[in-house]
Amino acid sequence: MEFQLSLSATPEGHQFSIVIEPEAMEYEFPKESKVVLAFRGPDAMLAELAHYPDAVVIWRPADTQVWATTADGQRQQIAGFEDNPAPGLDTGGKPLDRPLRQRLESIFYNQTELPDPSR
């Protein structure tokens, strides 16, 4: 299954980043005025988006490749590498004692407290 998401910003607009987790691949705006992200995998439609004041964070589903195409036609794979699985997310990864997403959000995206993992 493939799902595409187009993100764009005007050059004079508020500067922010697009981050693909858990690889932390980042695009800075307004350097690129448009990025088309293609999610390829069995659960590609389950990608989640979180908005912060200076970033849009996209969490890819397990075993999902993410490809980026910029406005100038450059295309590259930015997440979901088969030879480097994300621990606890991709099938080849070792499970973690706490969900990886909660750790990353608490460290990098200024979440003041970790959510209860039992919910």
Side-chain angles (χ1 to χ4, degrees), residues 56-95:
V56 173
V57 180
I58 300 172
W59 292 89
R60 69 173 179 87
D63 299 318
T64 299
Q65 295 179 353
V66 182
W67 292 78
T69 304
T70 57
D72 62 2
Q74 300 267 337
R75 189 171 142 185
Q76 63 179 329
Q77 184 177 1
I78 61 172
F81 302 99
E82 289 182 15
D83 61 342
N84 188 19
L89 180 67
D90 294 322
T91 55
K94 180 180 177 185

Side-chain angles (χ1 to χ4, degrees), residues 7-86:
L7 301 169
S8 61
T10 59
E12 64 276 353
H14 177 73
Q15 187 173 4
F16 66 96
S17 302
I18 296 173
V19 182
I20 304 292
E21 291 290 5
E23 286 88 347
M25 180 61 188
E26 187 171 326
Y27 282 98
E28 294 290 335
F29 277 88
K31 184 172 102 177
E32 293 291 342
S33 61
K34 182 177 181 181
V35 174
V36 176
L37 301 174
F39 298 82
R40 297 179 185 158
D43 296 319
M45 294 288 292
L46 298 178
E48 295 182 34
L49 184 139
H51 189 270
Y52 295 91
D54 60 350
V56 173
V57 180
I58 300 172
W59 292 89
R60 69 173 179 87
D63 299 318
T64 299
Q65 295 179 353
V66 182
W67 292 78
T69 304
T70 57
D72 62 2
Q74 300 267 337
R75 189 171 142 185
Q76 63 179 329
Q77 184 177 1
I78 61 172
F81 302 99
E82 289 182 15
D83 61 342
N84 188 19

